[in-house]
Amino acid sequence: MGVSTSAPAAGVRLVAMDFPPVNALPVQGWYELAAALRGAGADPSVRCVVLAAEGRGFNAGVDIKEIQAAEGHTALIGANHGCAEAFAAVYDCPVPVVAAVHGFCLGGGIGLAGNADAIVASEDATFGLPELDRGALGAATHLARLVPQHLMRALYYTSRTATAGELHRHGSVWRVVPRAALREAALELAGEIAAKDGALLRLAKAAINGIDPVDVRRSYRFEQGFTFEANLAGLSDGHRDAFVAKGTGKG
């Protein structure tokens, strides 16, 4: 359980999340994920990173049970900072990052996938931000990288999800494959990328990030300010308590 790193092919690092039952990461888990991604990118022999997950789904966001069980706002602040670190570690990784998404990709999962360079998804993958239902705000920055602006707004306001097939039609998912073939398909794309000149790939990643029209780090931190405002205004606890009472704690 936790975050693991392996080397399935030359030039490729696989970083995998495994936080049963639903990959809702605790505060420390977000920092562990950020450290693993940074470590993989810092290795000069690595030319592509695959971000994947074990279990029922790719990522269900933060561990809401942890936030509700903590005194004061310590865990909430920790989750905010931890998510920002992990999302930035994907975006700032010196080499391309391929996200292999299966099952649910919710909340923080959107932050990870939205900051990846490419996404390979299984046929059962769904993408969405249930933030309003959880008393939170955030990751619209990253959802806007996956779907057109007006669809992003409708999905955000309704807490609905989009399928992998829909995102493929919008051009944000590279391939949609059967779940059993997901890891192989992601590694196939990573291998094709890793066959390129490593130094040029790192320059290409820096160049592409440099021309990005949105500063994703600043944009996401701006969103997080409204999450904290909602907490201070007393708008969030009731939503999180109701969600925890349902027995899942993902969001």
Side-chain angles (χ1 to χ4, degrees):
M1 187 177 81
V3 178
S4 62
T5 304
S6 59
V12 177
R13 285 293 181 277
L14 173 66
V15 176
M17 300 172 281
D18 186 11
F19 291 85
V22 293
N23 278 325
L25 272 58
V27 171
Q28 187 56 37
W30 291 106
Y31 284 104
E32 290 176 8
L33 179 59
L37 289 164
R38 291 197 180 101
D43 186 335
S45 70
V46 173
R47 298 186 292 281
C48 188
V49 173
V50 174
L51 176 60
E54 306 295 342
R56 292 163 52 189
F58 177 73
N59 187 284
V62 302
D63 186 345
I64 294 179
K65 290 181 179 178
E66 179 185 44
I67 292 174
Q68 292 308 91
E71 293 291 332
H73 297 300
T74 303
L76 175 64
I77 294 172
N80 278 1
H81 284 284
C83 284
E85 286 292 313
F87 299 172
V90 174
Y91 187 80
D92 293 332
C93 185
V95 298
V97 176
V98 175
V101 179
H102 73 281
F104 43 77
C105 180
L106 303 172
I110 294 293
L112 297 171
N115 268 358
D117 294 276
I119 301 170
V120 178
S122 61
E123 294 168 338
D124 67 341
T126 56
F127 300 75
L129 290 177
E131 310 308 275
L132 291 182
D133 291 342
R134 311 293 186 260
L137 299 164
T141 293
H142 311 93
L143 185 58
R145 296 167 66 83
L146 300 176
V147 298
Q149 181 70 209
H150 282 82
L151 179 55
M152 178 275 287
R153 289 172 180 251
L155 291 172
Y156 196 95
Y157 296 145
T158 62
S159 298
R160 292 193 185 191
T161 59
T163 67
E166 289 170 329
L167 265 60
H168 183 261
R169 289 193 290 275
H170 288 300
S172 52
V173 166
W174 176 256
R175 284 183 66 191
V176 179
V177 299
R179 183 159 176 170
L182 176 62
R183 191 69 60 88
E184 180 183 358
L187 290 174
E188 179 183 343
L189 175 58
E192 184 176 348
I193 294 170
K196 305 298 183 183
D197 183 290
L200 285 175
L201 276 174
R202 289 170 183 263
L203 288 174
K205 178 66 180 279
I208 291 174
N209 278 7
I211 63 170
D212 208 324
V214 175
D215 183 336
V216 294
R217 290 157 294 191
R218 185 175 65 180
S219 179
Y220 178 59
R221 291 297 284 160
F222 178 81
E223 288 186 75
Q224 285 186 313
F226 289 95
T227 293
F228 202 66
E229 181 177 328
N231 277 270
L232 293 178
L235 300 173
S236 301
D237 270 329
H239 290 284
R240 288 197 298 261
D241 284 340
F243 188 67
V244 169
K246 293 179 181 177
T248 54
K250 63 182 179 180

